[in-house]
Amino acid sequence: MIDGKKVLYSGMQATGNLTLGNYLGALKNWVTLSDEYECFYGVVDMHSITVRQDPAELRKRARNLLTLYIAAGLDPKKNCIYYQSHVSGHAELAWILNCYTYMGELNRMTQFKDKSAKHADNINAGLFTYPVLMASDILLYQADVVPVGIDQRQHLELTRDVAERFNSIYGDVFTVPEAYYGKAGAKIMSLQNPEKKMSKSDENPNASIYLMDDPDTIMRKFKRAVTDSEACICYRDEQPGVRNLLDIYCACTGKTPDEAVAEFEGKGYGDLKVAVGESVVSVLKPLQDRYAELSKDKAYIDSVIKENAEKANYYAMKTLRKVQKKVGFPEKVR
Ligand code: TYM
């Protein structure tokens, strides 16, 4: 609790081009929840270097991502929007929690398996212990709730296990966080292969809607989206392409799947694709305009970076000191 409010933590990697999946699965919910909670949103650049990055490019993308958080509607006066690498407590807590996490647990992480298959020439220890850094992000701020897409479920479960393990040894040190998944949009699938999640690292640009795609590109990608030959606009597992389009539509319009299905009764896939495309454009266009405006204001973004890093450090240090004391590190002599 901070000033009587529960705490929310979430973060995003500044790698690749953000997709509609990132927005509907995470960012959009962050904005909705931001009044109710005391919020911390990290640009998790320390996670990004588990895969090789071009340094200048990473710096640029990190700043763009931070700007995007604000453009999406997160007020940096109320929400702590910061770079993970500006708060050394993340790395310090991660080291400690590495010693309370088992190899067997990390070995089971599907994201590690996927990423190491993809980057076979660089299976580094950071990639393996990535979930411990993520647990540290969350536990450092004593978060009650963590809004994420479903692909992060396993990491959230590990975070809870590590927190409970630590608490069972040392007493109530960490708040055990709950994951929050939005009603619609928690798993947006590829437009070209609806069995696969929409991902920023997909090689086929038609598979993903990028947050900065212009309206024509968005409409074109939806028109090419893979559906099926059932000719039925139904919300069911057997029609993953159509279901994904309906999910996107519901996440953008706030409608339920039943309402959406009723609306498209008697219509064809072409109509559905146009309506989904338009609903996405109407959500992304204001975001893009605001982003373009904010990007010009260098001094403002710099001030957000500075002030929020201080705030994040303050709360991070509070937890870190407590943890250091519990595990037996000597107090500093002042
Ligand atoms: P990342 O950067 O891959 O994704 C950021 C957020 O977007 C969600 N997401 C999706 N949601 C729905 N459909 C999709 N197709 C889709 N693709 C991505 C992700 O679930 C995520 O919420 N490890 C995390 C970043 C992280 C983090 C944290 C998150 C680091 N520390 C602490 C929460 C709390 C990651 O790589 O997300």
Side-chain angles (χ1 to χ4, degrees):
M1 288 278 201
I2 297 178
D3 296 336
K5 272 185 169 179
K6 286 190 169 183
V7 177
L8 179 155
Y9 189 91
S10 203
M12 223 177 257
Q13 291 203 59
T15 35
N17 282 326
L18 289 204
T19 72
L20 186 63
N22 296 123
Y23 181 73
L24 297 179
L27 197 47
K28 186 169 173 286
N29 299 326
W30 298 1
V31 178
T32 315
L33 296 168
S34 70
D35 279 341
E36 200 181 323
Y37 294 91
E38 183 70 35
C39 302
F40 294 85
Y41 296 110
V43 170
V44 294
D45 46 359
M46 289 164 65
H47 280 89
S48 298
I49 62 161
T50 52
V51 173
R52 288 281 175 271
Q53 304 291 336
D54 174 72
E57 187 65 20
L58 178 60
R59 238 186 308 276
K60 193 172 103 196
R61 284 184 190 278
R63 191 175 173 100
N64 291 350
L65 182 58
L66 188 129
T67 308
L68 190 81
Y69 286 3
I70 306 171
L74 297 172
D75 176 356
K77 283 262 175 263
K78 295 196 205 135
N79 301 278
C80 187
I81 294 171
Y82 73 101
Y83 292 133
Q84 183 189 32
S85 61
H86 283 188
V87 181
S88 61
H90 288 260
E92 294 181 72
L93 183 61
W95 172 253
I96 296 173
L97 294 185
N98 263 321
C99 304
Y100 294 81
T101 309
Y102 298 116
M103 298 285 283
E105 289 176 304
L106 295 175
N107 260 325
R108 282 200 294 275
M109 295 292 127
T110 51
Q111 195 157 308
F112 170 68
K113 290 183 201 158
D114 292 349
K115 284 204 176 170
S116 41
K118 222 175 202 169
H119 303 278
D121 56 337
N122 182 21
I123 307 178
N124 60 70
L127 197 60
F128 188 64
T129 58
Y130 176 117
V132 184
L133 180 59
M134 179 161 161
S136 306
D137 302 340
I138 298 166
L139 301 180
L140 201 50
Y141 299 92
Q142 305 288 357
D144 296 276
V145 67
V146 184
V148 279
I150 282 174
D151 61 338
Q152 297 299 317
R153 187 191 294 263
Q154 214 183 13
H155 291 161
L156 255 298
E157 278 165 10
L158 179 77
T159 303
R160 289 172 55 86
D161 289 346
V162 173
E164 278 166 0
R165 180 172 308 142
F166 198 92
N167 286 352
S168 74
I169 306 173
Y170 301 106
D172 271 347
V173 178
F174 293 122
T175 303
V176 180
E178 299 279 347
Y180 173 98
Y181 307 109
K183 275 196 208 78
K187 193 167 189 193
I188 300 297
M189 309 308 278
S190 153
L191 298 185
Q192 291 299 314
N193 176 2
E195 308 285 348
K196 227 174 73 179
K197 89 167 175 174
M198 185 181 284
S199 157
K200 33 192 174 189
S201 56
D202 203 309
E203 273 149 30
N204 180 353
N206 289 322
S208 309
I209 301 291
Y210 300 115
L211 296 190
M212 293 299 147
D213 277 349
D214 60 54
D216 287 347
T217 308
I218 293 173
M219 296 307 289
R220 182 172 43 76
K221 287 184 180 177
F222 276 111
K223 281 181 189 153
R224 287 190 189 166
V226 168
T227 47
D228 51 54
S229 51
E230 304 266 325
C232 162
I233 300 180
C234 306
Y235 189 81
R236 51 190 192 128
D237 291 350
E238 294 75 20
Q239 292 181 259
V242 172
R243 197 186 52 185
N244 189 38
L245 292 176
L246 288 168
D247 271 333
I248 295 173
Y249 187 68
C250 291
C252 291
T253 59
K255 292 181 181 164
T256 64
D258 284 347
E259 285 166 350
V261 167
E263 187 181 330
F264 291 108
E265 210 189 315
K267 296 198 173 149
Y269 289 169
D271 302 313
L272 172 67
K273 288 175 176 182
V274 169
V276 179
E278 284 170 352
S279 74
V280 170
V281 170
S282 71
V283 167
L284 294 189
K285 185 72 176 56
L287 175 82
Q288 295 171 352
D289 293 347
R290 178 104 184 93
Y291 173 81
E293 213 176 283
L294 277 167
S295 304
K296 289 185 219 146
D297 199 345
K298 185 170 178 309
Y300 170 66
I301 299 294
D302 283 346
S303 73
V304 169
I305 291 171
K306 183 166 180 288
E307 281 164 27
N308 280 330
E310 281 163 13
K311 180 173 173 189
N313 262 299
Y314 170 80
Y315 288 104
M317 281 315 292
K318 264 174 88 166
T319 301
L320 188 65
R321 279 204 206 96
K322 197 164 152 192
V323 172
Q324 287 171 330
K325 198 167 169 196
K326 291 285 183 188
V327 299
F329 294 169
E331 276 192 54
K332 285 189 182 134
V333 180
R334 290 175 202 282

